């Protein structure tokens, strides 16, 4: 088994749990796939390219729409 090096970030939106966040992002106009591990939503950048960043940002913003700031 070959392991590839990668980097990820934990994504947190107050008022949304990691499972709900995963659900919202997977149903976004441009689906975002991450993993819920140890009670955290982790977004892995292994397959995210520079040209994907705008769509990724829009999906993240859409996932938190309607939340109080």
């Amino acid at each position: 088994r070959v392991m590839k090096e990668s980097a990820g970030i934990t994504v947190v939106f107050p008022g949304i749990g990691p499972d709900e966040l995963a659900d919202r992002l997977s149903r976004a106009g441009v689906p975002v796939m991450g993993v819920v591990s140890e009670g955290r939503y982790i977004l892995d950048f292994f397959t995210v390219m520079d040209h994907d960043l705008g769509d990724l940002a829009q999906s993240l913003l859409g996932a938190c729409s309607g939340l109080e700031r």
Side-chain angles (χ1 to χ4, degrees):
R1 181 171 158 180
V2 176
M3 298 295 289
K4 301 268 184 178
E5 214 172 292
S6 185
I9 61 169
T10 297
V11 180
V12 177
F13 288 120
I16 301 178
D19 292 315
E20 181 180 350
L21 181 59
D23 182 57
R24 287 183 184 206
L25 288 171
S26 70
R27 292 183 290 116
V30 176
V32 175
M33 306 312 288
V35 63
V36 176
S37 177
E38 298 180 9
R40 303 176 304 159
Y41 179 83
I42 301 170
L43 179 58
D44 190 327
F45 282 91
F46 183 71
T47 61
V48 177
M49 304 296 149
D50 286 347
H51 64 269
D52 297 324
L53 294 177
D55 289 333
L56 176 59
Q58 288 300 321
S59 293
L60 289 168
L61 288 171
C64 69
S65 66
L67 297 176
E68 289 187 30
R69 297 178 186 235

